[in-house]
Amino acid sequence: MRDSKRFYSSIFEVAKEYFHCDLVAFSRVDKEANQYVHWFLSSHSLEADTFRSPFNPGTFCNRVVTSQELFTVNSLASGPASITCPMMVAEGFDSYMGAPIFNSGECIGAFEVFCINARVWSQEEKKMALKCATIVETLVKTGHVELSALQA
């Protein structure tokens, strides 16, 4: 490992500025613990932090991982009742975008962007989220970062 947290923090800082969002996260699958490990940087913190959550089919992270596709919600408040996410409700976020991250053909997590206010994600923003996910994939594949660095 060559300083995984520094690499992730750099990606998060660039993404926060580009997306003008309230929180950026990388959530990875921990199959052994049957949980997700979330590593995030919020708009009001200077350092990234982590937490764990159990697998839950209602989370947006889980939707990204299981569908293996980009997933967006422009407004949780005005969207269909079937679209919900416990963490978004608890933290007061209204919009979400998540891009899958792959390693050796397996979806290992999601690059995620959260906003308190509703917004329509542009095609350029969707492309950028996928590019951010690809950067994380490349850093993992080349050994510049280790997934184990993201332990809560």
Side-chain angles (χ1 to χ4, degrees), residues 93-149:
F93 294 115
D94 196 27
S95 58
Y96 170 88
M97 178 168 45
I101 297 173
F102 296 92
N103 188 26
S104 301
E106 179 181 4
C107 189
I108 60 167
F111 174 82
E112 302 173 291
V113 181
F114 299 83
C115 292
I116 290 173
N117 297 316
R119 66 185 291 174
V120 176
W121 300 101
S122 71
Q123 288 303 314
E124 287 302 313
E125 289 173 319
K126 292 175 184 179
K127 288 178 187 175
M128 181 58 85
L130 291 167
K131 287 178 184 178
C132 289
T134 300
I135 290 170
V136 174
E137 291 172 14
T138 303
L139 291 172
V140 169
K141 288 177 189 171
T142 60
H144 283 81
V145 298
E146 293 180 8
L147 296 176
S148 61

Side-chain angles (χ1 to χ4, degrees), residues 29-47:
V29 175
D30 182 346
K31 288 184 180 179
E32 291 178 14
N34 201 32
Q35 295 179 327
Y36 286 103
V37 177
H38 307 277
W39 201 63
F40 64 94
L41 186 64
S42 68
S43 60
H44 59 280
S45 66
L46 298 176
E47 291 188 10

Side-chain angles (χ1 to χ4, degrees), residues 4-19:
S4 298
K5 290 186 179 185
R6 183 175 57 84
F7 279 109
Y8 286 120
S9 290
S10 296
I11 293 167
F12 288 169
E13 288 172 20
V14 170
K16 272 181 32 184
E17 190 171 318
Y18 179 83
F19 293 109

Side-chain angles (χ1 to χ4, degrees), residues 45-103:
S45 66
L46 298 176
E47 291 188 10
D49 203 358
T50 60
F51 71 95
R52 288 181 169 267
S53 66
F55 289 142
N56 177 339
T59 65
F60 291 162
C61 176
N62 193 65
R63 287 183 187 218
V64 173
V65 170
T66 56
S67 72
Q68 300 184 10
E69 294 180 353
L70 183 78
F71 178 72
T72 62
V73 174
N74 294 329
S75 175
L76 188 63
S78 63
S82 63
I83 296 179
T84 186
C85 179
M87 195 276 284
M88 286 199 48
V89 172
E91 297 297 325
F93 294 115
D94 196 27
S95 58
Y96 170 88
M97 178 168 45
I101 297 173
F102 296 92
N103 188 26

